[in-house]
Tab-separated table of all heavy atoms in Angstrom:
chain	number	residue	atom	x	y	z
A	274	GLN	N	-5.491	-28.621	4.863
A	274	GLN	CA	-4.677	-29.595	4.134
A	274	GLN	C	-4.153	-30.684	5.081
A	274	GLN	O	-4.162	-31.870	4.739
A	274	GLN	CB	-3.501	-28.906	3.455
A	274	GLN	CG	-2.630	-29.861	2.645
A	274	GLN	CD	-1.331	-29.231	2.188
A	274	GLN	OE1	-0.668	-28.538	2.968
A	274	GLN	NE2	-0.950	-29.460	0.944
A	275	ALA	N	-3.714	-30.281	6.281
A	275	ALA	CA	-3.200	-31.257	7.242
A	275	ALA	C	-4.271	-32.261	7.637
A	275	ALA	O	-3.975	-33.431	7.911
A	275	ALA	CB	-2.670	-30.535	8.481
A	276	ALA	N	-5.530	-31.822	7.652
A	276	ALA	CA	-6.618	-32.717	8.059
A	276	ALA	C	-6.872	-33.831	7.046
A	276	ALA	O	-7.448	-34.876	7.393
A	276	ALA	CB	-7.897	-31.909	8.267
A	277	LEU	N	-6.462	-33.633	5.796
A	277	LEU	CA	-6.738	-34.642	4.764
A	277	LEU	C	-6.091	-35.987	5.088
A	277	LEU	O	-6.587	-37.037	4.656
A	277	LEU	CB	-6.261	-34.145	3.398
A	277	LEU	CG	-6.992	-32.931	2.820
A	277	LEU	CD1	-6.383	-32.534	1.477
A	277	LEU	CD2	-8.488	-33.207	2.660
A	278	GLN	N	-4.980	-35.972	5.844
A	278	GLN	CA	-4.322	-37.241	6.185
A	278	GLN	C	-5.187	-38.106	7.102
A	278	GLN	O	-4.971	-39.315	7.205
A	278	GLN	CB	-2.987	-36.963	6.853
A	278	GLN	CG	-3.094	-36.263	8.215
A	278	GLN	CD	-1.764	-35.881	8.796
A	278	GLN	OE1	-0.898	-36.747	8.998
A	278	GLN	NE2	-1.580	-34.589	9.059
A	279	TYR	N	-6.177	-37.496	7.761
A	279	TYR	CA	-7.028	-38.232	8.696
A	279	TYR	C	-8.418	-38.525	8.136
A	279	TYR	O	-9.228	-39.157	8.824
A	279	TYR	CB	-7.183	-37.438	9.996
A	279	TYR	CG	-5.884	-37.124	10.694
A	279	TYR	CD1	-5.534	-35.802	10.984
A	279	TYR	CD2	-5.001	-38.133	11.067
A	279	TYR	CE1	-4.346	-35.499	11.626
A	279	TYR	CE2	-3.809	-37.836	11.709
A	279	TYR	CZ	-3.485	-36.519	11.981
A	279	TYR	OH	-2.297	-36.226	12.624
A	280	THR	N	-8.723	-38.042	6.942
A	280	THR	CA	-10.085	-38.169	6.424
A	280	THR	C	-10.092	-38.897	5.089
A	280	THR	O	-9.073	-39.020	4.403
A	280	THR	CB	-10.736	-36.781	6.218
A	280	THR	OG1	-10.150	-36.152	5.084
A	280	THR	CG2	-10.564	-35.903	7.438
A	281	SER	N	-11.277	-39.344	4.711
A	281	SER	CA	-11.435	-39.983	3.400
A	281	SER	C	-11.525	-38.951	2.283
A	281	SER	O	-11.422	-39.297	1.105
A	281	SER	CB	-12.694	-40.855	3.394
A	281	SER	OG	-13.844	-40.055	3.676
A	282	ALA	N	-11.740	-37.685	2.634
A	282	ALA	CA	-11.839	-36.624	1.626
A	282	ALA	C	-10.501	-36.454	0.925
A	282	ALA	O	-9.442	-36.477	1.557
A	282	ALA	CB	-12.266	-35.317	2.271
A	283	LYS	N	-10.551	-36.275	-0.369
A	283	LYS	CA	-9.332	-36.069	-1.159
A	283	LYS	C	-9.003	-34.582	-1.308
A	283	LYS	O	-7.904	-34.219	-1.719
A	283	LYS	CB	-9.492	-36.703	-2.536
A	283	LYS	CG	-9.678	-38.216	-2.509
A	283	LYS	CD	-9.823	-38.759	-3.912
A	283	LYS	CE	-9.927	-40.283	-3.903
A	283	LYS	NZ	-11.132	-40.769	-3.227
A	284	GLU	N	-9.971	-33.716	-0.993
A	284	GLU	CA	-9.803	-32.271	-1.140
A	284	GLU	C	-10.534	-31.574	0.001
A	284	GLU	O	-11.450	-32.139	0.592
A	284	GLU	CB	-10.400	-31.790	-2.481
A	284	GLU	CG	-9.786	-32.442	-3.712
A	284	GLU	CD	-10.702	-32.316	-4.918
A	284	GLU	OE1	-11.914	-32.560	-4.771
A	284	GLU	OE2	-10.197	-31.978	-6.004
A	285	PHE	N	-10.128	-30.358	0.289
A	285	PHE	CA	-10.897	-29.528	1.213
A	285	PHE	C	-11.590	-28.430	0.414
A	285	PHE	O	-11.212	-28.120	-0.719
A	285	PHE	CB	-10.006	-28.931	2.314
A	285	PHE	CG	-8.878	-28.047	1.830
A	285	PHE	CD1	-9.060	-26.675	1.635
A	285	PHE	CD2	-7.612	-28.571	1.596
A	285	PHE	CE1	-8.023	-25.858	1.209
A	285	PHE	CE2	-6.567	-27.758	1.158
A	285	PHE	CZ	-6.781	-26.408	0.963
A	286	PHE	N	-12.627	-27.858	0.987
A	286	PHE	CA	-13.299	-26.703	0.391
A	286	PHE	C	-12.522	-25.445	0.785
A	286	PHE	O	-11.952	-25.371	1.872
A	286	PHE	CB	-14.741	-26.592	0.873
A	286	PHE	CG	-15.602	-27.766	0.482
A	286	PHE	CD1	-15.812	-28.820	1.363
A	286	PHE	CD2	-16.201	-27.821	-0.769
A	286	PHE	CE1	-16.592	-29.902	1.007
A	286	PHE	CE2	-16.988	-28.899	-1.130
A	286	PHE	CZ	-17.181	-29.937	-0.245
A	287	TYR	N	-12.524	-24.442	-0.101
A	287	TYR	CA	-11.712	-23.243	0.140
A	287	TYR	C	-12.525	-22.033	-0.291
A	287	TYR	O	-12.734	-21.799	-1.484
A	287	TYR	CB	-10.427	-23.355	-0.671
A	287	TYR	CG	-9.308	-22.389	-0.337
A	287	TYR	CD1	-8.049	-22.546	-0.931
A	287	TYR	CD2	-9.466	-21.331	0.560
A	287	TYR	CE1	-6.999	-21.689	-0.649
A	287	TYR	CE2	-8.428	-20.475	0.858
A	287	TYR	CZ	-7.182	-20.663	0.241
A	287	TYR	OH	-6.136	-19.800	0.531
A	288	LEU	N	-13.019	-21.267	0.682
A	288	LEU	CA	-13.726	-20.015	0.409
A	288	LEU	C	-12.682	-18.944	0.113
A	288	LEU	O	-11.953	-18.507	1.005
A	288	LEU	CB	-14.585	-19.627	1.605
A	288	LEU	CG	-15.304	-18.277	1.526
A	288	LEU	CD1	-16.278	-18.228	0.347
A	288	LEU	CD2	-16.039	-17.987	2.837
Side-chain angles (χ1 to χ4, degrees):
Q274 182 191 44
L277 294 179
Q278 65 185 302
Y279 302 123
T280 73
S281 59
K283 297 180 177 64
E284 301 160 315
F285 60 89
F286 297 96
Y287 194 172
L288 175 61

